[in-house]
């Protein structure tokens, strides 16, 4: 028996193989019968629960939730997904599958186990391509273009049911026999099952939602809701999506994981792994997973990374330490240090991605619309524009994703603890820089040069200007970016640039990040001064410089709440995002 792993890693299942079928060494029980397993499951669960009929009757923008104690090989999930393919409604609706697994299969074992079922091969391949790394906690996996959502909790079933927010329409509880997995059959587990079961609720008309702000957060949320069957109005003061802080030519996609594996680190890790899965379909279009090095560029960072490696265990497909020589081979650059290598990270073209996300038949785009006020009226929300050219917009639900402008759009009085931080990026033409082949991060980030031949640019980002509201690029900010990069990666710039000779024609861009007093994002329903949720009004902002990494998961999380579907985040992490903490204490609203 191997020794327990160090968080956030989790022990994988130990398997033996009999007749090609997997058997748990810990429990001494087979996961399925190699010949009859699928047939038996279809009869015992799918037919007896009348799933074909129930699936076909789900209304527009509705959902159906199946929960399972013990994900195992995923065979049951794939069989239900296949039934959903055949019998699910033709209109937009979502199948949710929520499962726990204390000892998840390795990716290699999962592939081997599911290869026994050729009729499920297409679905199995999609699951395998999105299978999460073996780290503890909650993993949301979006499949079938958003028609299927798998919430997979790696850990004890009791912990899963205590921390996940969902209501199930059907349960899979048989798994192994009670004598083998008694914890699944004890009174607390049965009580938790009842608490997570959905009562019969009559269907309601599909609500209309409005999303204010067409940056990366707003476009992700609007697209998410549209795929779930919602009619969405996407509103922005600019003429097109991705025009403010999300409009940079390039943006590095990464997080800085904490030395201690606490809730803040778990949230960052969840966002990182989800965004890697989310962006995968855009590979070589808007997403460029070149790999990314976080340099141990200073004595302080070197000490931090040493403690990080000593106290944590991460799968190598997520990250691993590298020496200076290894880092140079991976990046193709001459470096001063090694660091942490993230093979699944890279860089995005956020402006182009925003424009792509906004193209959906269920998204009505309202641009060049300056929002003046958001207020409740007759059970709905009214969005008023500035000037007669901006008529009122009405919606059942509203999400404010307006970055640093969010506080001025929140209805009612009160002071909120948001702040804007100016960030300037510098665009370097390829002749001025020896472009790396992967993203390099430290006190600044440097992306590989990209663009049409002869016009390629590399992006250095970004300044962190707390006390400046200057909207245009400045030579001093360019100089600061170049000076800091040179201290991290000597000899990467041409000789004149390295000595501080900044060309007058050097281009760049300014954006204003929105951050919070505790440097944690804000996502969820707005709370009033008494801590009560304001019905139908949501916030999604405050991601600072990590919006490209956090926004996909947090848009998923807000869409879950807005549609009243199972939540992508456990309650422990949801609390860190709560909007109520943003109200300034001792100030009446």
């Amino acid at each position: 028996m191997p020794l327990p792993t160090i968080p956030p890693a989790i022990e994988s299942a130990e398997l033996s193989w009999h007749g090609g079928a997997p058997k748990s060494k810990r429990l001494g029980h087979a996961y399925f019968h190699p010949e009859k397993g699928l047939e038996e499951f279809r009869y015992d669960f799918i037919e007896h629960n009348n799933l074909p009929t129930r699936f076909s009757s789900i209304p527009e923008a509705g959902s159906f939730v199946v929960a399972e104690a013990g994900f195992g090989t995923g065979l049951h999930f794939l069989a239900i997904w296949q039934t959903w393919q055949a019998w699910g409604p033709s209109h937009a609706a979502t199948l949710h599958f929520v499962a726990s697994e204390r000892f998840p299969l390795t990716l290699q074992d999962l592939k081997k186990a599911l290869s026994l079922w050729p009729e499920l091969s297409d679905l199995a391949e999609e699951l395998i391509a999105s299978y999460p790394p073996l780290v503890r906690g909650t993993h949301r996996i979006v499949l079938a273009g958003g028609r299927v959502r798998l919430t997979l909790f790696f850990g004890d079933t009791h912990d899963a049911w205590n921390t996940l927010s969902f209501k199930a329409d059907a349960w899979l509880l048989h798994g192994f026999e009670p004598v083998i997995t008694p914890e699944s059959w004890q009174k607390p587990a049965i009580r938790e099952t009842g608490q997570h079961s959905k009562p019969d609720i009559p269907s309601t008309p599909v609500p209309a939602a409005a999303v204010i702000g067409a940056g990366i957060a707003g476009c992700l949320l609007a697209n998410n809701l549209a795929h779930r069957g919602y009619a969405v109005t996407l509103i922005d003061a600019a003429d097109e999506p991705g025009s403010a802080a999300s409009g940079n030519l390039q943006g590095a996609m990464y997080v800085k994981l904490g030395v201690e594996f606490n809730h803040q680190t778990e949230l960052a890790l969840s966002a990182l792994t989800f965004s890697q899965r989310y962006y995968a379909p855009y590979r070589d279009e808007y997403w460029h997973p070149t790999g990314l090095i976080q340099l141990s560029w200073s004595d302080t960072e070197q000490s931090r990374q040493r403690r990080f490696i000593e106290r944590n265990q991460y799968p190598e497909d997520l990250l691993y330490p590298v020496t200076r020589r290894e880092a140079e081979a991976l990046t193709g650059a001459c470096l001063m240090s090694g660091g942490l290598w993230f093979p699944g990270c890279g860089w995005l073209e956020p402006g182009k991605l925003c424009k792509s996300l906004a193209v959906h038949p269920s998204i009505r785009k309202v641009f060049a619309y300056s929002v003046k006020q958001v207020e409740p009226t007759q059970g709905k929300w009214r969005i008023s524009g500035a000037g007669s050219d901006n008529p009122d917009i009405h919606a059942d639900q509203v999400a404010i994703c307006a970055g640093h402008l969010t506080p001025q759009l929140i209805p009612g009085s009160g002071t909120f603890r948001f702040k804007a931080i100016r960030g300037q990026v510098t665009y370097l033409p390829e002749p001025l820089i020896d472009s790396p082949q992967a993203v390099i991060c430290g006190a600044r980030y440097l992306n590989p040069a990209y663009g049409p031949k002869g016009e390629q640019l590399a992006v250095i980002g970004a300044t962190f200007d707390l006390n400046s509201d200057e909207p245009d690029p400045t030579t001093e900010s360019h100089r600061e970016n170049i000076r800091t990069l040179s201290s991290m990666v000597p000899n990467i710039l041409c000789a004149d640039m390295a000595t501080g000779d900044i060309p007058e024609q050097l281009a760049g861009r300014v954006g204003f990040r929105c951050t919070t007093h505790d440097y944690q994002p804000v996502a969820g329903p707005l709370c009033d001064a008494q801590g009560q949720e304001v019905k139908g009004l949501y916030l999604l902002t405050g991601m600072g410089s990590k919006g490209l990494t956090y926004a996909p998961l947090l848009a998923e999380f807000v869409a879950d709440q807005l549609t009243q579907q199972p939540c992508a985040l456990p309650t422990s992490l949801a609390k860190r995002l709560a909007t109520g903490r943003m109200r300034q204490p001792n100030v009446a609203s």
Side-chain angles (χ1 to χ4, degrees):
M1 186 77 68
L3 294 174
T5 56
I6 300 170
I10 190 168
E11 301 96 329
S12 63
E14 295 181 72
L15 305 184
S16 58
W17 298 85
H18 301 271
K23 181 179 180 179
S24 169
K25 288 184 179 180
R26 283 186 176 89
L27 303 177
H29 198 283
Y31 283 85
F32 52 70
H33 190 288
E35 296 177 357
K36 300 180 181 179
L38 192 54
E39 179 183 338
E40 289 176 349
F41 176 73
R42 285 172 175 154
Y43 176 75
D44 290 342
F45 183 79
I46 293 176
E47 290 187 26
H48 278 77
N49 275 279
N50 196 24
L51 290 191
T53 300
R54 296 172 74 187
F55 283 174
S56 63
S57 62
I58 295 173
E60 178 81 20
S63 65
F64 192 95
V65 182
V66 180
E68 179 178 37
F71 185 73
T73 65
L75 177 63
H76 297 162
F77 165 64
L78 294 182
I80 291 171
W81 179 3
Q82 186 184 55
T83 305
W84 175 258
Q85 270 192 330
W87 296 95
S90 57
H91 53 251
T94 308
L95 171 66
H96 281 270
F97 194 96
V98 183
S100 64
E101 181 52 65
R102 177 60 186 87
F103 299 104
L105 270 65
T106 65
L107 182 61
Q108 182 179 0
D109 284 340
L110 185 73
K111 291 178 181 177
K112 185 176 179 179
L114 294 179
S115 68
L116 296 173
W117 309 102
E119 65 181 285
L120 299 174
S121 61
D122 289 348
L123 306 186
E125 286 178 9
E126 190 171 348
L127 172 63
I128 289 166
S130 296
Y131 193 62
L134 299 192
V135 293
R136 305 168 194 225
T138 308
H139 304 269
R140 168 60 62 83
I141 303 165
V142 180
L143 302 160
R147 282 184 61 84
V148 176
R149 284 176 155 82
L150 169 62
T151 305
L152 190 52
F153 184 91
F154 285 163
D156 293 326
T157 297
H158 177 70
D159 293 339
W161 298 165
N162 269 335
T163 193
L164 296 178
S165 298
F166 69 94
K167 294 289 186 180
D169 296 281
W171 283 90
L172 273 168
L173 294 174
H174 51 85
F176 296 123
E177 296 298 326
V179 69
I180 298 172
T181 56
E183 68 278 0
S184 298
W185 300 87
Q186 293 170 353
K187 286 184 179 179
I190 296 173
R191 181 173 61 251
E192 290 157 3
T193 300
Q195 291 170 346
H196 282 290
S197 296
K198 186 184 297 183
D200 289 331
I201 302 174
S203 60
T204 58
V206 179
V211 175
I212 302 174
I216 189 71
C219 289
L220 283 164
L221 180 57
N223 185 273
N224 196 311
L225 292 171
H227 275 95
R228 299 191 196 211
Y230 273 56
V232 184
T233 302
L234 179 61
I235 305 166
D236 199 279
D239 293 329
E240 60 181 2
S243 295
S246 299
N248 290 338
L249 294 179
Q250 297 178 318
M253 198 284 285
Y254 69 103
V255 293
K256 193 169 184 177
L257 299 170
V259 171
E260 305 300 332
F261 189 70
N262 51 26
H263 287 153
Q264 181 173 335
T265 304
E266 184 179 356
L267 178 62
L269 177 60
S270 297
L272 178 68
T273 57
F274 184 89
S275 60
Q276 289 174 348
R277 292 191 295 271
Y278 183 89
Y279 293 134
Y282 300 104
R283 185 183 183 121
D284 299 328
E285 189 175 7
Y286 315 124
W287 166 233
H288 306 272
T290 57
L292 178 148
I293 181 74
Q294 287 186 4
L295 295 173
S296 55
W297 58 279
S298 66
D299 291 343
T300 299
E301 180 61 16
Q302 186 176 13
S303 173
R304 194 195 76 84
Q305 290 191 13
R306 184 182 65 252
R307 288 179 284 117
F308 175 85
I309 293 300
E310 290 171 351
R311 300 181 191 180
N312 298 275
Q313 182 178 342
Y314 284 84
E316 288 198 351
D317 56 349
L318 268 177
L319 65 95
Y320 56 90
V322 293
T323 66
R324 178 179 63 82
R325 289 183 180 275
E326 291 169 334
E328 287 179 337
L330 290 165
T331 62
C334 180
L335 303 173
M336 292 290 287
S337 71
L340 299 176
W341 175 251
F342 291 75
C345 287
W347 63 274
L348 279 159
E349 298 177 72
K352 291 182 179 179
L353 178 61
C354 287
K355 293 175 179 62
S356 174
L357 292 168
V359 178
H360 190 284
S362 294
I363 297 178
R364 179 172 72 103
K365 295 181 282 292
V366 179
F367 293 129
Y369 186 104
S370 182
V371 176
K372 181 177 67 175
Q373 189 175 31
V374 179
E375 59 182 345
T377 175
Q378 298 180 343
K380 292 182 178 290
W381 289 94
R382 181 173 67 192
I383 301 168
S384 303
S388 58
D389 292 339
N390 293 326
D392 289 350
I393 297 170
H394 294 85
D396 300 292
Q397 295 162 298
V398 173
I400 302 176
C401 311
H404 70 287
L405 301 177
T406 294
Q408 60 191 259
L409 300 180
I410 298 174
S413 59
T415 304
F416 295 88
R417 298 188 286 187
F418 293 100
K419 52 186 174 182
I421 300 177
R422 180 184 183 271
Q424 179 175 319
V425 298
T426 300
Y427 299 155
L428 289 180
E430 192 174 27
L432 299 180
I433 189 168
D434 185 8
S435 175
Q437 61 195 27
V439 181
I440 299 173
C441 288
R444 291 291 188 275
Y445 68 80
L446 172 65
N447 290 331
Y450 186 75
K453 189 174 182 179
E455 301 177 18
Q456 292 191 334
L457 297 173
V459 175
I460 308 173
T463 60
F464 195 85
D465 307 321
L466 281 167
N467 301 310
S468 173
D469 58 1
E470 172 57 55
D472 298 319
T474 67
T475 300
E476 180 51 40
S477 290
H478 285 320
R479 185 172 287 113
E480 182 184 336
N481 278 334
I482 291 167
R483 183 171 56 244
T484 306
L485 177 66
S486 297
S487 68
M488 288 169 38
V489 195
N491 305 320
I492 202 165
L493 300 172
C494 72
D496 290 342
M497 292 282 287
T499 59
D501 186 6
I502 308 299
E504 291 184 4
Q505 74 275 16
L506 200 63
R509 195 171 185 279
V510 171
F512 288 88
R513 315 173 183 97
C514 178
T515 190
T516 64
H517 65 292
D518 56 7
Y519 294 99
Q520 291 293 282
V522 175
L526 178 69
C527 289
D528 62 20
Q530 288 70 46
Q532 301 300 310
E533 292 185 5
V534 178
K535 185 178 179 182
L537 189 59
Y538 300 80
L539 303 183
L540 176 55
T541 188
M543 288 168 270
S545 61
K546 302 300 190 293
L548 299 183
T549 308
Y550 278 91
L553 177 61
L554 300 191
E556 178 83 0
F557 173 63
V558 172
D560 291 338
Q561 295 175 93
L562 196 149
T563 60
Q564 298 182 29
Q565 295 178 16
C567 279
L569 291 175
T571 54
S572 57
L573 301 188
K575 290 177 182 177
R576 300 194 65 82
L577 305 170
T579 63
R581 76 186 206 281
M582 297 310 301
R583 289 188 178 271
Q584 187 72 39
N586 303 320
V587 176
S589 62

